[in-house]
């Protein structure tokens, strides 16, 4: 009888499931269990830390300071040394009662709405045009990006020269056509239209880029199927292109709204909000209250800026709500 066959194997597991794995002690501590790896959450927080620091330093803290400015009566001395008295909503009441509030609100709405409408329409038309992939389409599309790539001070200065009443190329062209000169920048009837035209020209390339990228994501088979069903070019655009482009269009309009609400450089360089506040918007009014006079009003200026933030935030929440509703349906 072989006694060795009846002896239990020392390497077998207690449950009889096979040989037990040898215990390692990589650290040399004498313990039988290996050290558990660290939680991956630390690595995630390590990657998030720079983003959180950036948002806190350049977004959260300036927003907090702007809210604090709007709730206190700051002067130049208290702005430097501190100690500004708390006034609550007093600065907001001052802004709402100011005679400039109603015209500035109207100009902001008109400037934003008209700019968005024409920028989106022109950008969509150009995106559809360049989606045909004809010869030199890439070169021409790159040239259309020039207004977007130029510094705003250069674009605004160029439009100021073009719309000059005496020596501008626009009035010279109108003179050749037998039309009298127009005071684009110095007339209350034309100043707002002038800055709107310049802003539309600057914003078209942005809409072109986003909408063109959205068009590239639409499968060509859908157009082929629509053509086989007898749909003409307009029907293919209205029934295929436009519905499938709605998500990209929503993002384009939302970003355009935020950018247009805070447009300051173009208006300030071309008209400074004048003449007689005829082209004043909330952005230029806020700057003029805070920095454009010898006796700055930091509190009311910050209050106007916060009104712009609330308007942009409201439209952003509407967009998020619409997106959630679309995803759930």
């Amino acid at each position: 009888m072989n006694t060795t066959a009846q002896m239990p194997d020392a390497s077998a597991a207690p449950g009889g499931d096979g040989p037990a794995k040898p215990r390692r002690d990589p650290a040399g501590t004498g313990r039988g269990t290996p050290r558990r790896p660290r939680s991956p959450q630390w690595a995630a927080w390590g990657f998030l830390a720079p983003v959180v620091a950036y948002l806190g330093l350049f977004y959260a803290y300036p927003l907090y300071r702007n809210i604090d400015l709007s709730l206190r009566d700051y002067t130049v001395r208290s702005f430097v040394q501190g100690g500004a008295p708390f006034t609550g909503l007093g600065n907001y009441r001052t802004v709402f009662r100011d005679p400039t509030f109603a015209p500035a609100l109207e100009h902001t709405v008109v400037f934003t709405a008209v700019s968005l409408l024409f920028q989106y329409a022109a950008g969509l038309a150009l995106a559809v045009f360049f989606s045909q992939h004809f010869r030199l389409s890439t070169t021409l599309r790159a040239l259309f990006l020039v207004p977007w790539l130029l510094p705003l001070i250069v674009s605004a200065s160029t439009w100021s020269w073009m719309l000059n009443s005496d020596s501008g190329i626009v009035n010279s062209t109108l003179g050749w056509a037998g039309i009298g000169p127009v005071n684009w920048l110095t007339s209350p009837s034309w100043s707002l239209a002038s800055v709107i035209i310049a802003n539309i020209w600057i914003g078209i390339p942005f809409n072109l880029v986003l909408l063109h990228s959205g068009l590239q994501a639409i499968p060509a088979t859908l157009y082929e199927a629509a053509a086989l069903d007898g749909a003409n070019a307009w029907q293919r655009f209205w029934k295929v292109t436009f519905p499938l482009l709605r998500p990209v269009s929503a993002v384009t309009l939302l970003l355009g709204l935020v950018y247009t609400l805070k447009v300051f450089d173009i208006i300030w360089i071309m008209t400074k909000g004048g003449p007689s506040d005829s082209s004043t918007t909330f952005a230029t009014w806020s700057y003029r209250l805070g920095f454009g006079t010898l006796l700055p009003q930091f509190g009311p200026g910050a209050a106007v800026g916060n009104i712009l933030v609330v308007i942009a935030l409201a439209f952003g929440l509407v967009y998020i709500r619409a997106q959630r509703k679309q995803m759930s349906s």
Side-chain angles (χ1 to χ4, degrees), residues 301-316:
V304 176
N306 287 333
I307 293 175
L308 279 178
V309 173
V310 171
I311 295 174
L313 180 62
F315 280 97

Side-chain angles (χ1 to χ4, degrees), residues 130-176:
F130 285 119
S131 64
Q132 305 301 319
H133 300 291
F134 56 92
R135 183 178 296 181
L136 297 180
S137 62
T138 304
T139 304
L140 293 177
R141 192 169 68 248
L143 292 177
F144 270 96
L145 297 180
V146 172
W148 191 29
L149 300 177
L150 287 176
L152 289 178
I153 187 173
V154 175
S155 301
S157 301
T158 302
W159 276 100
S160 297
W161 169 75
M162 292 174 59
L163 296 177
N164 187 276
S165 302
D166 300 325
S167 58
I169 189 173
V170 175
N171 276 348
S172 299
T173 305
L174 294 177
W176 293 339

Side-chain angles (χ1 to χ4, degrees), residues 102-124:
L105 176 60
E106 179 184 356
H107 299 157
T108 302
V109 172
V110 173
F111 179 83
T112 304
V114 176
S115 296
L116 286 180
L117 176 62
F118 282 92
Q119 286 174 356
Y120 177 80
L124 180 58

Side-chain angles (χ1 to χ4, degrees), residues 268-281:
W268 191 259
I269 292 173
M270 294 181 64
T271 63
K272 289 185 170 57
S276 302
D277 293 333
S278 58
S279 59
T280 296
T281 61

Side-chain angles (χ1 to χ4, degrees), residues 51-89:
V51 179
V52 173
Y54 174 81
L55 293 177
L57 184 61
F58 294 100
Y59 286 89
Y61 179 72
L63 182 60
Y64 161 75
R65 286 292 298 157
N66 204 56
I67 295 175
D68 181 71
L69 279 172
S70 67
L71 299 178
R72 297 180 181 274
D73 184 17
Y74 273 95
T75 61
V76 176
R77 181 176 181 179
S78 60
F79 186 81
V80 177
Q81 299 180 356
F86 182 80
T87 60
L89 299 178

